Amino acid sequence: MSSIKGYYGKLLYINLTTGKIEKREIPEEDLAKFIGGRGLGVKILWNHLQKPGVDPLSPENPLIFMTGPFSGFPVPSSSRTCVVTKSPITSPVHSPYPHASTLTYSNIGGFFGPELRFAGYDGIVITGKANSLCYIVIDDDKVEIRDAKKFKGMRTDAFDKAILEELKDRRYKTVYIGPAGENLVRYASILHTSTRAAGRGGVGCVMGSKNLKAIAVKGSKQPDVAHHKKFIEILEKARLVLNNSPNTKNWRSYGTAGYIVKSSDQGTETVRNFREGTFPEAYKIGAEAARRDVWVRDIACMYCPLACKKSGRTKGKYGGIVHDGPEYETGTMLGSNLLISDMAGLLKIIYNVDDLGLDAISTGAVIGFLMEAYEKGMINRKFLDGIELKWGSVDATLAIVQKIAYRDGIGDLASKGVKALFQKIGQGSEKFAIHVKGLELAAHNIQANPPRALCYATANRGGCHLNGDSVEAQNFRAMIDSTGVCLFAAMDKVYEEPIISMLSAITGVEYDRAQFLKAGERVFNLEKLFNYCEGFRREDDWLPDRFFEDAFTIGPKKGAVLDRAKFRDMLTQYYKERGWDPETTKPTEAKLKELELDKIIS
């Protein structure tokens, strides 16, 4: 029995090749050092993949669903589940291993993580590959692998309803893949409630490679708290400060869509495949337009006062659907990025992307790249299977989305991401193929934002906008991802101290801010070690030429462009601050010893 509270200390291991299901104890040392969620998931991945170069789509690659110590407790905004695995879409510039890639971690909100804890588990580790499509059912201690052939090819919206009808119990919380995951699209996502997605890094592709359609869970337990009275006192304080924060009110009113117009006005939005930072028609797809014409419901994840998700119905040619959005990432990557300002058309695209089980960020980046290559005459309509892929075309975008999900024609190549596309097209197209380490960048443009450029370049999972713009921010966010708290809430300064205090009260391990950040630094460095072993070096922490050569031509940041020399200096300073070798980016022996990682890699 672990002396650290707030956990069961138990993982559910499922081997889909053999059908073996077992419960394993989590070493207390791992709970103390890696906390949960992202951190503990990375440590489990490290333990499983002892040799580099494992094919991410092989049965050997584990798919890990991790909760945090806050999961299942009524902590505000603490419903996150972190999916950890080796990514099928990233790759280094040079490596001795043909299947070298980064790890990836992808967060999803909603209700699945808390329910997994109610069932008595801190996480699930899935290995192997089933002979045919299957799904997993977890009902407290009862765990089964069931046949899912009848659900093959089913899109996520329909499946979300069908699986609950099959189980005859709406208390089950489910995660699942769509056709894109089944068809091994490299940036397929895992969906929950048909609108919440663990989208980044191809986690849905790995799930599909295991012939796993879904996981359903329900439970009736809850772990112990170390200091119950203290926890209740801090919990009440946390609720009050978060509920009364102006930031919370903004999330409730506008969700992330509030940034669509704001970012455009600041010149930091992704527009026309990252060519510009301002979209003159952003107001047509922003939060105010959505609130006026579309949204009818504000939706919250479990225990969350932010209610940042918005849902509504559109009318007209693309109308008749009820779905989530636009959010900032979906609205920008599938809207502004493609010069699409038709709100109903945009929501139809978002719906199809979710329904097919694709990552909206990578999908938008891939289509933006193809639109630009087509505009420049590098590819023609024959290459695109007859699709007139012009900027602003909703119908052409919908057609490409369909082809990608089913890997049909041009969709087969496009399903592998922008890196595979520019390697095929050539003609200098790599200059505007927007990715880092093979993972497409998100909706935050960087010609006028060097700190965000650093964020993208140094992210361990590839071009990640949530990585953090500084060393301290990266360590803090790694720790937040390890607790089960949503980053949107955690970014509010008024919530930072209550988070640390609640972690101490739940676990019985006393944390101050310095210790909290040190734990995040340990997680970040273990991720870096994983990538380093796969062959990633300084040359992989770089950005496409677009950001150094193509200055904005419109908007408040007109003329902005990154300076190569200054950015190199920024990276060098970053590595020194991290305690990494500035030439190779390998963490130094002194840093590994400081973080108690030296024994792990010895």
Side-chain angles (χ1 to χ4, degrees), residues 125-187:
V125 181
I126 299 166
T127 57
K129 178 180 180 179
N131 289 328
S132 59
L133 199 65
C134 69
Y135 69 102
I136 295 167
V137 180
I138 304 167
D139 183 356
D140 281 330
D141 293 328
K142 184 180 179 182
V143 183
E144 298 178 89
I145 302 170
R146 298 184 184 178
D147 184 86
K149 287 195 287 288
K150 69 162 81 171
F151 301 119
K152 187 174 178 60
M154 189 172 284
R155 293 161 75 135
T156 65
D157 200 8
F159 180 79
D160 186 66
K161 302 175 182 68
I163 187 64
L164 293 179
E165 291 174 2
E166 171 90 357
L167 295 169
K168 297 181 173 58
D169 189 341
R170 298 192 66 82
R171 290 178 297 170
Y172 279 103
K173 304 299 182 281
T174 57
V175 290
Y176 39 80
I177 57 173
E182 291 182 37
N183 294 327
L184 305 186
V185 174
R186 295 289 171 142
Y187 44 93

Side-chain angles (χ1 to χ4, degrees), residues 172-489:
Y172 279 103
K173 304 299 182 281
T174 57
V175 290
Y176 39 80
I177 57 173
E182 291 182 37
N183 294 327
L184 305 186
V185 174
R186 295 289 171 142
Y187 44 93
S189 59
I190 296 173
L191 275 291
H192 168 55
T193 67
S194 75
T195 62
R196 294 174 170 93
R200 305 256 62 200
V203 292
C205 181
V206 173
M207 191 162 168
S209 74
K210 298 187 177 303
N211 270 332
L212 180 60
K213 179 69 174 179
I215 305 172
V217 61
K218 70 172 182 176
S220 57
K221 304 181 181 72
Q222 192 168 49
D224 293 331
V225 174
H227 305 296
H228 190 266
K229 184 178 179 180
K230 180 182 177 184
F231 172 59
I232 295 300
E233 291 172 355
I234 301 167
L235 179 61
E236 186 60 23
K237 176 185 176 182
R239 287 170 172 166
L240 287 172
V241 298
L242 203 55
N243 269 319
N244 294 327
S245 170
N247 292 324
T248 297
K249 292 178 173 62
N250 285 333
W251 287 116
R252 288 174 184 163
S253 298
Y254 303 114
T256 60
Y259 290 94
I260 292 176
V261 172
K262 183 178 180 181
S263 181
S264 177
D265 288 345
Q266 292 174 339
T268 57
E269 192 166 14
T270 292
V271 182
R272 219 179 99 199
N273 192 33
F274 294 80
R275 181 64 182 81
E276 303 290 354
T278 298
F279 184 38
E281 297 185 343
Y283 69 94
K284 294 182 180 180
I285 55 173
E288 290 188 7
R291 178 65 74 189
R292 181 186 67 238
D293 301 329
V294 178
W295 292 341
V296 296
R297 185 182 177 195
D298 302 330
I299 304 171
C301 296
M302 195 168 188
Y303 306 132
C304 186
L306 273 60
C308 69
K309 292 188 74 63
K310 314 299 175 188
S311 182
R313 181 190 294 270
T314 56
K315 299 177 182 178
K317 178 181 177 182
Y318 302 106
I321 59 169
V322 177
H323 197 62
D324 168 64
E327 297 177 323
Y328 178 71
E329 297 297 334
T330 59
T332 298
M333 292 308 297
L334 299 169
S336 305
N337 182 51
L338 308 182
L339 301 190
I340 289 174
S341 58
D342 180 326
M343 176 70 85
L346 171 60
L347 288 179
K348 174 63 174 174
I349 295 167
I350 293 171
Y351 173 80
N352 281 18
V353 165
D354 283 343
D355 204 28
L356 292 163
L358 290 163
D359 171 27
I361 293 174
S362 284
T363 301
V366 164
I367 295 173
F369 170 81
L370 285 171
M371 282 182 172
E372 182 162 356
Y374 182 63
E375 176 189 43
K376 289 183 162 136
M378 296 178 176
I379 57 176
N380 55 27
R381 285 184 66 172
K382 182 179 179 182
F383 185 91
L384 296 168
D385 300 329
I387 298 170
E388 185 78 11
L389 194 60
K390 289 186 175 181
W391 297 109
S393 174
V394 173
D395 290 337
T397 300
L398 288 169
I400 289 290
V401 166
Q402 183 83 359
K403 282 186 168 288
I404 291 171
Y406 292 98
R407 296 179 60 177
D408 173 37
I410 178 57
D412 184 45
L413 179 60
S415 75
K416 298 176 176 64
V418 297
K419 191 171 182 179
L421 281 166
F422 87 69
Q423 287 171 342
K424 174 69 174 179
I425 294 170
Q427 305 176 71
S429 60
E430 71 277 0
K431 289 179 177 291
F432 58 87
I434 309 301
H435 73 93
V436 170
K437 302 179 181 71
L439 183 66
E440 292 77 15
L441 271 56
H444 307 257
N445 215 338
I446 54 176
Q447 277 95 326
N449 192 352
R452 186 53 51 87
L454 181 77
C455 167
Y456 281 133
T458 59
N460 289 322
R461 67 174 180 175
C464 170
H465 64 297
L466 299 175
N467 180 50
D469 295 354
S470 67
V471 168
E472 181 175 302
Q474 290 173 357
N475 294 342
F476 179 77
R477 293 183 177 201
M479 189 59 172
I480 290 300
D481 286 347
S482 301
T483 63
V485 172
C486 176
L487 182 60
F488 292 169

Side-chain angles (χ1 to χ4, degrees), residues 31-59:
L31 292 177
K33 290 182 177 178
F34 297 98
I35 316 304
R38 172 177 161 187
L40 194 51
V42 170
K43 178 57 164 57
I44 294 166
L45 184 71
W46 176 273
N47 291 345
H48 266 267
L49 300 183
Q50 288 295 301
K51 63 179 186 294
V54 169
D55 185 345
L57 301 185
S58 71

Side-chain angles (χ1 to χ4, degrees), residues 33 518 521-522 525 529 578-580 587-602:
K33 290 182 177 178
K518 183 63 70 176
E521 185 181 9
R522 182 179 297 114
N525 274 263
L529 279 172
R578 273 272 176 219
W580 298 352
T588 62
E589 294 300 320
K591 175 56 65 175
L592 295 178
K593 187 173 182 179
E594 174 193 332
L595 297 173
E596 301 176 271
L597 292 174
D598 51 326
K599 297 176 183 177
I600 291 176
I601 65 170
S602 60

